[in-house]
Amino acid sequence: MSEDSTTQCLLFPGIFREPVVAHFDQREGSSDGGGLLLKAADRHYGLVPGLASCLRDERQAVKVDHSLRELVAQRVFSIACGYPDANDSARLSGDPIHKLLLDRDPIKGVDLASQPTLSRFENAVGIKELYRAGEFLAESVIQRHAKRLRHRTYRVTIDLDPTDDATHGAQQLSFFNGHYDTWCYLPMMGFVSFNDEAEQYLCTAVLRPGNVTAAKGAVAILQRLVKMIRHHIPGVKIRVRLDGGFANPAVFEFLDAQPKLEYVVAMAKNGVLKGVAKPGMRRARQLSRRSGKTEHIYGEAHYKAGKWPRWRRVVIKAEVVCAAEKDPKDNPRFVITNMKQSPQWIYEKVYCQRGDTENRIKELHDLEIDRTSCSSFWANQFRVLLTAAAYVLMQELRLRAAGTACARAQVRTLRERLLKLGARVLVSVRRVVVHLPASFLFLPAFRRVALALGAATG
């Protein structure tokens, strides 16, 4: 068998009882049969047409084969299915499922856009368009869940968290960051959660240069989110949770000025705070020596940093950590807050819950939101937004999978279980039939999600 023929046919002799030949000739087939769910999920958000409406098309109409809406849809759905690179379009251009997602005839329809077309598209988006697209994404998420909860929302929690995005080329505004020990960008991710729900929904993804502080741009993002939340959910209480990198005067001044807003913001330890925590640390050491285990106690005080115009309440967690074959280690923690509840409740029931954003950010990296390999900074920001849109759709699938084996699955697992399905597409005069495997293990979850997104039995 020639080397060239292996791309179309593979022979497995001596492995099975009979020789097995694998032919790659199923032109009506796709490995992304579950992608139909993405199209159904987008109908509840309108992300694809909404993002496309934020962009300006300056191409000559007579030379356009792919509309902005189709280009946005192609990138968002491809990223969700596990194809983050525009290079992947070379093999996906004739995929019947991906053509179907763009409202084209899956068999006879025009092929999807090529890699050069997608690259030109990503690099043509301007700053104002990106700003509008970012606002649309945030507003869509907030509006979607306000509608879902039907005015039963009593609290919205905002979590902001930066992450590192290592760069390996000549990308604009890529700088060396000593903390991460690499050249990188530092994108900021913003999430909202509702009432006591565990899920944190991505609503903001802002790419930033690699040499900025954690709090850079935080006030502007919070201003927009607070305004949107109050517009769509009037009278709701807002809670903001931030880690220690955000504890600067500008952030606190903004938070203190907002009505019906409570916050918990971690504070890095310093000499003054360590002094305030000394009595608690002595008590924690005594408890740890008696038990031989990690012990902690809670306290509180009022604290005013040098540049602060007022005193603020600080919750203190005085902790001594014990690990096998290591000496006990002091680990005092501090959280600035305007909440009135007990220190232990604030720390354990409110502040510690923000740690789940790390799982959301890990999922975003699984979707390869860090695939920012364009030379232009703004093209990379657009890629980040497209990946964020894909993640929002995946979160919608997870929400609709409540009560199934996929209810708490990570996005990578969700993709493998619900989207990566071998499918054969047949087109008749009246309809398109997508044949999926009868032995599909997660059929109950797929059916539940499909019905929740508007599919009908029959």
Side-chain angles (χ1 to χ4, degrees), residues 92-331:
L92 292 176
S93 60
D95 186 288
I97 290 295
H98 285 269
K99 292 202 300 190
L100 185 61
L101 294 179
L102 269 63
D103 300 318
R104 297 184 178 184
D105 186 293
I107 308 301
K108 299 179 180 178
V110 178
D111 282 354
L112 307 184
S114 64
Q115 179 270 324
T117 298
L118 292 174
S119 293
R120 286 193 297 269
F121 164 61
E122 290 177 342
N123 281 272
V125 179
I127 300 174
K128 292 182 179 179
E129 297 165 275
L130 287 170
Y131 183 85
R132 289 196 299 268
E135 281 207 321
F136 173 81
L137 179 70
E139 196 148 16
S140 296
V141 172
I142 293 168
Q143 192 172 7
R144 163 78 184 97
H145 293 286
K147 181 180 179 181
R148 172 177 66 87
L149 294 168
R150 298 177 183 174
H151 308 294
R152 296 192 301 270
T153 309
Y154 55 84
R155 183 178 63 246
V156 178
T157 302
I158 301 173
D159 292 290
L160 299 184
D161 215 352
T163 184
D164 63 306
D165 171 2
T167 55
H168 306 283
Q171 291 100 314
Q172 287 180 337
L173 301 183
S174 166
F175 293 104
F176 184 81
N177 187 290
H179 178 74
Y180 294 104
D181 194 29
T182 187
W183 290 78
C184 63
Y185 290 129
L186 288 180
M188 175 92 75
M189 307 301 170
F191 303 86
V192 288
S193 49
F194 301 87
N195 301 337
D196 294 315
E197 293 181 347
E199 186 74 66
Q200 296 157 313
Y201 298 97
L202 179 70
C203 63
T204 298
V206 179
L207 195 65
R208 305 181 302 168
N211 61 347
V212 300
T213 62
K216 183 69 173 180
V219 172
I221 294 172
L222 288 171
Q223 282 176 332
R224 292 200 299 271
L225 292 180
V226 168
K227 182 179 178 180
M228 290 178 188
I229 291 169
R230 289 191 168 141
H231 174 73
H232 292 288
I233 317 175
V236 73
K237 179 178 287 187
I238 298 175
R239 179 180 291 170
V240 176
R241 299 184 297 205
L242 305 171
D243 71 9
F246 294 89
N248 71 27
V251 173
F252 282 123
E253 285 301 307
F254 170 78
L255 295 174
D256 283 328
Q258 305 304 308
K260 294 191 70 175
L261 185 147
E262 52 190 28
Y263 62 82
V264 285
V265 182
M267 185 77 186
K269 64 187 73 173
N270 57 41
V272 175
L273 289 174
K274 287 181 180 178
V276 173
K278 276 185 178 180
M281 289 305 305
R282 282 197 296 268
R283 178 61 178 157
R285 291 190 201 101
Q286 292 172 355
L287 294 173
S288 182
R289 281 194 295 268
R290 292 174 188 170
S291 67
K293 301 177 181 178
T294 296
E295 298 286 354
H296 59 259
I297 62 172
Y298 293 94
E300 63 177 292
H302 282 82
Y303 171 71
K304 179 179 178 296
K307 295 183 179 180
W308 293 4
R310 62 177 66 88
W311 294 82
R312 295 186 174 95
R313 185 189 187 197
V314 55
V315 168
I316 303 167
K317 179 185 180 183
E319 182 178 53
V320 174
V321 178
C322 290
E325 300 180 0
K326 292 184 179 180
D327 294 332
K329 181 180 178 181
D330 291 353
N331 184 38

Side-chain angles (χ1 to χ4, degrees), residues 58-69:
E58 296 182 341
R59 298 173 297 174
Q60 297 180 25
V62 295
K63 297 181 179 180
V64 171
D65 293 326
H66 310 280
S67 69
L68 290 182
R69 180 171 177 170

Side-chain angles (χ1 to χ4, degrees), residues 20-40:
V20 174
V21 179
H23 280 283
F24 295 88
D25 58 357
Q26 181 55 268
R27 297 190 181 279
E28 297 82 24
S30 172
S31 61
D32 298 314
L36 303 174
L37 297 177
L38 296 171
K39 181 81 168 179

Side-chain angles (χ1 to χ4, degrees), residues 6-21:
T6 61
T7 61
Q8 300 299 327
C9 174
L10 290 172
L11 175 65
F12 296 90
I15 300 176
F16 306 98
R17 287 195 305 175
E18 303 290 343
V20 174
V21 179

